[in-house]
Amino acid sequence: MLNVIYWNADPTLFTLGPVSVRWYGLMFAVGFTVGYMIVSKMFRHEGAPEKWLGSLLAYVVVATLIGSRLGHVFFYEWDYYSQHPGEILMIWHGGLASHGGTIAIIIALFMWSWIVSKKPASWVFDKIVIPVALVGGLIRLGNLFNSEIYGGPTGLPWGFVFLRNGDMVPAHPTQIYEALCYFLLFGLLMWMYWKKNAEERPWLITGVFFIGIFLPRFLIEYVKNVQVESEYSMIAQYGMNMGQVLSIPFILLGVFLVIWAMTHPKVKFKFPNKFADEK
């Protein structure tokens, strides 16, 4: 049995001259690279045009960065950034919110479906959410290396002492809790797609994704430290923090999509050009 884990990892993986490569950035890059490979395989499996992949990646990456940043700015620290608008663009100082990134990705995928694929949005959603679950888990591991977004004190044998922050009390490693949930969700969604042909029920995979991401997030927030001081008043008034309040609509949306998918006929999309024939 473990007693306590003393954690003092360096957020920087290595430095080359003026450039520092951080674990957090590496996790982002690995997630998007593997995600691209997974979606590429799905396109090939269904015969979708290869030329769509580049534009889809661009839409998702830009939406993730902009949405996550603006989500943090508006949901968590608007009082500060409204007085310091020039710092909104300083993404390298930290401050990203997954709920903001999710909203932006939803908007981006609807736009991509309308402008590029001309297919129902469900077709691309039921693919993109699968690697997004993987990316979410990797990002939480990046948070672990940054010694950030962890929980309150715990007497459990796997408590982490985050020495880099000057803490000496074991705390819940909520980054690991979330990462494990997201990796398990990723495995479930891959199984649904490749073994159960769940993509033939539009919105089913997406609905399971929303439930599998935001229900664990809602529950884990109970042992996680607040991100900003203003959340204490929210907890006192509503019994929930900002992360929980923002998770509820996505959980309800996920339940609705699962019910909708299971009560509507299966659909099999057809494409005029096979992936392998694209030049």
Side-chain angles (χ1 to χ4, degrees):
M1 293 292 290
L2 300 175
N3 184 19
V4 67
I5 299 170
Y6 291 94
W7 185 257
N8 194 27
D10 190 341
T12 301
L13 178 59
F14 60 85
T15 300
L16 291 175
V19 178
S20 294
V21 176
R22 297 171 65 90
W23 283 102
Y24 188 88
L26 176 64
M27 294 299 173
F28 242 114
V30 169
F32 277 107
T33 301
V34 175
Y36 181 90
M37 295 169 61
I38 291 171
V39 175
S40 174
K41 187 176 181 180
M42 291 175 176
F43 273 40
R44 185 181 296 276
H45 173 68
E46 296 186 27
E50 180 181 8
K51 61 186 179 183
W52 287 355
L53 282 169
S55 63
L56 180 58
L57 177 65
Y59 272 73
V60 172
V61 171
V62 172
T64 300
L65 294 176
I66 294 178
S68 297
R69 181 56 172 171
L70 293 182
H72 179 80
V73 169
F74 290 113
F75 295 149
Y76 290 97
E77 293 195 86
W78 176 242
D79 288 344
Y80 175 83
Y81 285 105
S82 62
Q83 302 300 316
H84 305 83
E87 295 187 27
I88 293 177
L89 299 178
M90 297 181 182
I91 195 171
W92 54 89
H93 287 173
L96 300 174
S98 58
H99 295 90
T102 301
I103 294 171
I105 290 174
I106 289 173
I107 295 172
L109 292 183
F110 273 109
M111 291 177 59
W112 184 86
S113 298
W114 177 57
I115 297 171
V116 179
S117 74
K118 314 296 184 183
K119 296 287 183 182
S122 60
W123 180 81
V124 69
F125 269 91
D126 286 340
K127 291 167 181 57
I128 287 296
V129 296
I130 298 177
V132 167
L134 174 66
V135 173
L138 291 172
I139 287 174
R140 283 296 178 252
L141 293 183
N143 294 138
L144 177 65
F145 279 99
N146 284 346
S147 296
E148 61 187 3
I149 314 181
Y150 52 91
T154 180
L156 294 172
W158 55 80
F160 272 53
V161 176
F162 291 94
L163 298 173
R164 183 168 292 275
N165 296 333
D167 293 339
M168 293 305 297
V169 178
H172 284 284
T174 51
Q175 315 98 320
I176 297 178
Y177 299 170
E178 288 190 57
L180 290 175
C181 289
Y182 301 161
F183 290 147
L184 287 173
L185 175 63
F186 169 69
L188 172 62
L189 298 179
M190 287 285 282
W191 175 78
M192 290 175 64
Y193 180 90
W194 291 107
K195 298 299 184 180
K196 294 299 180 180
N197 296 322
E199 77 281 0
E200 295 181 1
R201 289 195 177 277
W203 297 115
L204 178 59
I205 292 176
T206 303
V208 173
F209 166 82
F210 281 135
I211 297 171
I213 285 286
F214 292 103
L215 182 56
R217 171 72 184 271
F218 181 91
L219 297 174
I220 292 171
E221 288 290 328
Y222 281 114
V223 296
K224 186 189 294 185
N225 290 325
V226 299
Q227 294 194 43
V228 294
E229 294 294 322
S230 60
E231 288 190 272
Y232 285 115
S233 61
M234 177 178 289
I235 294 173
Q237 185 173 1
Y238 302 108
M240 297 183 292
N241 62 23
M242 179 63 76
Q244 291 173 308
V245 170
L246 294 173
S247 294
I248 292 175
F250 290 110
I251 296 171
L252 296 177
L253 175 60
V255 172
F256 170 79
L257 291 176
V258 169
I259 294 173
W260 192 95
M262 296 305 294
T263 54
H264 284 73
K266 291 184 177 181
V267 176
K268 192 171 182 63
F269 294 101
K270 297 184 182 297
F271 298 90
N273 300 309
K274 290 294 183 181
F275 183 102
D277 296 333
E278 291 289 329
K279 301 297 183 182

